[in-house]
Amino acid sequence: MPLKALSTLLGLGCAVLLLTGCWDRVEINDRGFVVGVAVDYKEAGEKNLYTGTFQMMVPGGLKQSNTQNNSAPHATQAYFNISTSENSMPAIAARMAAKTSRTPYFEHLKVIIVSSEVAKSKAAFPSMLDYFLRNSEMRRGVQVLIAEGKASDILDIEPNNETTPIDYISSIAKNNKKTNYMLPQSRIGDVHESLIKRESYVIQKVKRENKDLSLNGSALFDGATNQLVGFLNGEETQGLNFITKGVKGGIVEANFGDEIIGFKVERARRKFIVKQTSPDHFKFTIKLVAEGVLDKSLTDGDPTESKTLESLQKKLEETLIKNSNKVIAKLQKTYKKDALGLGAYLFENHYKMWKPISENWDTGSNLFSQTEVEVQAQVIIRRVGNIFEVSKER
């Protein structure tokens, strides 16, 4: 055999040995696509600590749901829920693999729901999230929600206009551009940063109300212990969103005479001003500015008149100040936890002020609860969009 042909043959032989092919391929029909996880505590007195509920997709049912009504005879549901209990999340995932014909696969996980009981327990919340943060299949954009009550009940909700409950929940969680009574999405990557920073923080809250869901309000966590300390309602969350620059839209309502006016927020900004009046005392001035349009017609008054427009803006400013003061009072007097970002502002912009008091801000002597906070608001109505008279052509 010629030397050239022999060299070519040897080269091809070596190339074949280097080709590994799809050594880790798993057929799609063998994967158990987990799209949602709910974590609860096991009932008191039981040996196992956690109960994990996985919502898994059924590819065949998903295809059917696009072509026919799921209520039709012999229709296959596009998902199913499966639960098991163990002492840790890795053990739950391992046991789950023994209860289903398809190995749980987390690449398409969308939502993690944690019950308030788990979140309140010492070290339970970061310990539970640690499994998902370390899992190589996990994405940093997975949404985290805190359930007021039992987390697994949320996965049993009837999905309106969606194929699965998780799609329904995930869609609602993204609606902060339409309402400022709920927080922006709490992604696991952002929650991870909060766990490391040791600053108090908030996470989206979900609550089942009969057959419906509500994501109004938020769940407050102690940055030192990463334990849930309580909940904020919708109005308090609205005030918090304006203070922390979390407003992406939504409506602000105020009483104007005998009616309620609606102001659609298009842009919002915030500014902190701080003055140190003594070594242990600070005064913060929070300036809020909201711009938008009047989203509701008036039956009494002409908003195109400067006097009426000023009155409208003043009423809306009073609402912003009232709701902001509500959340400030709740955080300072009830929970004594700085989820407003005042400590973070001092650390980033006035480190010389921050350094001596850092250990006693919302722990120790808790200087945060003694800090004077004043809120100022400015509302600018850019467009009124009113129709006052309709005329008919003859």
Side-chain angles (χ1 to χ4, degrees):
M1 182 181 292
L3 182 61
K4 186 176 180 180
L6 181 61
S7 299
T8 302
L9 185 61
L10 288 173
L12 290 173
C14 293
V16 169
L17 293 175
L18 294 175
L19 294 176
T20 58
C22 299
W23 61 273
D24 61 343
R25 187 183 73 175
V26 178
E27 295 295 339
I28 190 170
N29 291 332
D30 295 331
R31 286 198 186 278
F33 292 101
V34 181
V35 292
V37 174
V39 184
D40 293 289
Y41 257 133
K42 187 74 173 176
E43 294 294 330
E46 297 282 351
K47 177 182 177 182
N48 300 317
L49 188 61
Y50 301 113
T51 295
T53 303
F54 290 6
Q55 187 161 111
M56 304 179 76
M57 299 299 297
V58 180
L62 190 63
K63 184 177 180 180
Q64 283 187 20
S65 67
N66 293 329
T67 58
Q68 66 182 49
N69 191 329
N70 275 343
S71 62
H74 310 298
T76 302
Q77 197 174 32
Y79 68 93
F80 67 92
N81 295 334
I82 184 170
S83 300
T84 192
S85 299
E86 265 296 347
N87 293 312
S88 65
M89 281 307 304
I92 287 174
R95 179 174 284 242
M96 201 74 76
K99 294 185 69 174
T100 177
S101 59
R102 298 173 181 176
T103 304
Y105 181 65
F106 294 97
E107 187 73 33
H108 297 276
L109 182 65
K110 294 182 179 180
V111 178
I112 300 169
I113 305 170
V114 183
S115 74
S116 54
E117 291 301 313
V118 172
K120 285 178 182 177
S121 300
K122 186 176 181 181
F125 183 64
S127 174
M128 184 275 304
L129 279 188
D130 184 69
Y131 170 74
F132 298 100
L133 290 168
R134 293 175 181 271
N135 195 318
S136 60
E137 297 173 357
M138 209 63 55
R139 294 173 293 112
R140 303 288 284 182
V142 176
Q143 298 176 35
V144 179
L145 298 171
I146 305 301
E148 188 175 352
K150 197 172 180 181
S152 59
D153 288 346
I154 308 298
L155 294 184
D156 289 329
I157 195 74
E158 184 176 341
N160 297 327
N161 300 322
E162 299 290 349
T163 306
T164 67
I166 283 298
D167 288 331
Y168 179 53
I169 297 164
S170 180
S171 297
I172 296 176
K174 297 174 183 176
N175 282 341
N176 64 301
K177 290 184 180 180
K178 298 296 183 181
T179 174
N180 43 50
Y181 273 50
M182 59 184 271
L183 294 176
Q185 294 177 69
S186 302
R187 298 181 177 90
I188 194 170
D190 300 326
V191 175
H192 188 203
E193 289 184 18
S194 299
L195 294 176
I196 296 171
K197 286 181 179 178
R198 298 182 66 80
E199 298 170 1
S200 297
Y201 55 95
V202 286
I203 294 178
Q204 276 188 328
K205 182 198 80 170
V206 62
K207 182 180 180 181
R208 182 162 181 173
E209 297 177 345
N210 297 321
K211 294 183 178 181
D212 297 320
L213 289 181
S214 172
L215 269 75
N216 277 2
S218 49
L220 174 65
F221 282 77
D222 181 347
T225 63
N226 291 309
Q227 289 176 262
L228 175 69
V229 294
F231 293 103
L232 304 176
N233 64 27
E235 289 184 346
E236 292 162 349
T237 300
Q238 183 189 64
L240 181 66
N241 279 331
F242 274 97
I243 293 172
T244 58
K245 299 192 291 188
V247 172
K248 304 299 180 184
I251 301 294
V252 176
E253 292 184 329
N255 293 318
F256 186 76
D258 295 330
E259 60 183 315
I260 297 176
I261 57 172
F263 172 72
K264 184 178 180 181
V265 181
E266 293 183 335
R267 288 174 293 276
R269 56 186 184 272
R270 177 269 290 156
K271 183 179 180 180
F272 283 157
I273 299 173
V274 63
K275 181 185 291 186
Q276 188 172 18
T277 56
S278 71
D280 293 337
H281 188 268
F282 297 84
K283 178 181 178 180
F284 274 87
T285 301
I286 303 175
K287 295 187 176 183
L288 307 177
V289 179
E291 301 178 42
V293 300
L294 197 62
D295 205 40
K296 186 173 180 287
S297 297
L298 294 178
T299 56
D300 184 19
D302 183 355
T304 60
E305 294 180 356
S306 59
K307 187 175 181 180
T308 304
L309 187 63
E310 288 174 5
S311 297
L312 288 170
Q313 291 177 158
K314 185 177 180 181
K315 290 293 184 182
L316 291 165
E317 289 166 358
E318 290 173 357
T319 298
L320 286 185
I321 292 172
K322 180 185 71 174
N323 290 343
S324 297
N325 284 332
K326 278 184 180 180
V327 72
I328 290 168
K330 192 80 166 281
L331 293 174
Q332 283 191 312
K333 307 306 178 186
T334 304
Y335 297 126
K336 298 186 177 182
K337 296 300 170 187
D338 178 19
L340 302 172
L342 303 185
Y345 174 80
L346 288 174
F347 173 77
E348 294 170 6
N349 298 278
H350 302 280
Y351 189 72
K352 288 184 179 179
M353 291 185 190
W354 171 253
K355 181 63 176 175
I357 54 95
S358 60
E359 298 297 325
N360 292 295
W361 183 244
D362 61 359
T363 56
S365 56
N366 206 293
L367 300 179
F368 165 70
S369 63
Q370 306 165 37
T371 296
E372 184 180 351
V373 183
E374 178 188 7
V375 179
Q376 300 174 1
Q378 180 185 9
V379 171
I380 304 171
I381 299 177
R382 294 298 185 188
R383 299 184 303 281
V384 294
N386 249 353
I387 299 174
F388 294 101
E389 185 177 348
V390 177
S391 60
K392 180 191 275 188
E393 293 185 5
R394 297 181 183 232

